[in-house]
Amino acid sequence: EFGYYLVRVEHGPTHAEVQAAIDALAARSDVESVVGISAPSPVPTTHRVPDDGAGWNTPDWQVVNAASVGQNWAFEMADFPLAWGCSVGDPATTVAVLDRTLAVQGVGDFSANLDPAGSVALNSHLGEFEHGTATLSLVAADGDNQQGMTGAMWSARLLGYDVATDQAGAPLTGPTGAPAQTQFSVPWRLGEAIRAGAMVVSMSLASDDAQTAFQTNDTAAVRRVVEPILQTLRLHDRFGPRVPLLVIAAGNIDAPGSPTDAFWSGYTVVADSFPATTLVVASHDDQGQLAASSRTGALVDLAAGGEGAYMLDRTGAVIQDSGTSYAAPLVAGAAGLLFSFDPSLTPGQVRDFLVA
């Protein structure tokens, strides 16, 4: 009679040791054959915390978050220390940030991760608030380097693209004189990020229109914002490189009729055409309550800590600000960690993990 035995080898032996056991069994005269079945290694249940600047030192971190009140509360509430037990990122994982005023000169926390050669129009609009500097720091300020703050990814290939610039990289301004993107500057930069190999693209965008002001209920204006973006995505979806995971800030509730409303409406509408590879992110506070200023609605997929969040300014100092702009980079960084942990994942699979 013939039978079979199922032999389980506990996690711990090396591949060579397991193969040696298989060979030894196969050499026995009473064994007809040996089939090796490899199971995935279990996910570590350990954690890891960094040692960075004041408020971000090792003792400042809670692994099991009960009442998070420190500068790092947004990361603690999302259980990043547990995620870092699995992966702190990888320089082979490319994450792009589309924003404006990405002032990075003299910010030491970017030196290890930011790829200046792959980025476009860094250090433009230097007289304005460094919105892009803040979002870059939340995605991937270098972790465990005894300075500044900790980003979601301690290690990454970080790309920055200033969308308030024209195709040649010259600054664009709106009717008020503030940095502004057009309906073409965003798809230009998005296409560049995709061609540079971005696995994740973080978009925290709102501005006066550099051409004409418009209102939220102007459907043609919303279409004018979103259609060039969709054309870029459709082109890459058909011919490659593949469309990355897009993480889009849901936007903040502004004064009725504000020109920024249509921009936010336009960007989130991308989720209608690319639902499997788009995440729209709202903002919550340090009590887990959805921020009153955060946009909601059917297109919003999840919320992250953006109300009273901490980030870096152009000098490398930690500052505090609020908005969905700062929630989206946290989610983008979490997506980058998943790609670092398992590069074989697709953007759709990473999206499903994050909203599960």
Side-chain angles (χ1 to χ4, degrees):
E1 293 185 13
F2 292 93
Y4 68 90
Y5 290 92
L6 183 62
V7 180
R8 178 180 178 182
V9 179
E10 295 292 340
H11 177 63
T14 65
H15 176 77
E17 290 169 335
V18 172
Q19 188 59 51
I22 292 174
D23 293 341
L25 287 170
R28 292 174 57 113
S29 60
D30 56 346
V31 173
E32 179 70 20
S33 63
V34 180
V35 177
I37 302 175
S38 176
S41 299
V43 175
T45 56
T46 57
H47 67 275
R48 187 174 175 186
V49 296
D51 188 15
D52 284 305
W56 304 80
N57 301 137
T58 300
D60 296 316
W61 291 91
Q62 299 181 77
V63 177
V64 178
N65 172 45
S68 206
V69 294
Q71 294 183 7
N72 53 7
W73 69 266
F75 295 91
E76 289 181 338
M77 288 194 74
D79 292 327
F80 271 93
L82 292 176
W84 293 329
C86 301
S87 174
V88 295
D90 191 304
T93 302
T94 301
V95 179
V97 172
L98 271 59
D99 212 310
R100 58 197 182 280
T101 315
L102 291 82
V104 299
Q105 291 176 336
V107 183
D109 251 4
F110 292 143
S111 59
N113 293 334
L114 185 65
D115 178 3
S119 301
V120 175
L122 299 176
N123 302 304
S124 295
H125 300 287
L126 292 182
E128 302 293 331
F129 172 66
E130 53 272 29
H131 192 274
T133 309
T135 55
L136 283 169
S137 66
L138 288 162
V139 173
D142 188 15
D144 206 32
N145 66 344
Q146 293 80 50
Q147 65 174 305
M149 62 171 282
T150 309
M153 301 179 71
W154 303 6
S155 178
R157 178 182 178 234
L158 182 62
L159 301 177
Y161 297 87
D162 193 326
V163 297
T165 56
D166 64 17
Q167 199 163 12
L172 294 171
T173 57
T176 66
Q181 60 267 19
T182 70
Q183 74 268 36
F184 298 115
S185 61
V186 174
W188 287 335
R189 301 303 178 227
L190 178 58
E192 289 171 325
I194 294 172
R195 292 187 291 275
M199 299 170 167
V200 185
V201 176
S202 179
M203 299 170 60
S204 296
L205 304 177
S207 172
D208 292 338
D209 182 15
Q211 295 186 340
T212 57
F214 47 73
Q215 308 299 321
T216 304
N217 58 3
D218 185 345
T219 303
V222 174
R223 185 179 299 115
R224 181 165 61 86
V225 170
V226 74
E227 190 55 39
I229 297 173
L230 294 177
Q231 290 176 358
T232 296
L233 294 173
R234 290 173 186 139
L235 180 67
H236 287 287
D237 191 41
R238 182 173 181 181
F239 297 107
R242 76 178 184 185
V243 173
L245 181 66
L246 303 178
V247 183
I248 303 176
N252 307 316
I253 297 172
D254 210 339
S258 166
T260 60
D261 287 352
F263 266 101
W264 278 320
S265 300
Y267 295 134
T268 56
V269 167
V270 171
D272 279 335
S273 297
F274 287 85
T277 55
T278 303
L279 279 169
V280 178
V281 184
S283 175
H284 68 70
D285 62 20
D286 60 4
Q287 301 302 306
Q289 299 297 310
L290 191 66
S293 61
S294 177
R295 287 188 172 277
T296 58
L299 292 178
V300 173
D301 296 295
L302 73 169
E307 191 70 9
Y310 291 83
M311 62 214 71
L312 296 180
D313 69 6
R314 72 182 69 224
T315 69
V318 177
I319 60 172
Q320 188 178 27
D321 202 1
S322 296
T324 60
S325 287
Y326 311 121
L330 291 177
V331 176
L337 291 179
L338 284 168
F339 278 120
S340 298
F341 182 69
D342 186 353
S344 70
L345 292 172
T346 66
Q349 288 172 322
V350 169
R351 182 193 184 281
D352 290 344
F353 278 130
L354 291 171
V355 299

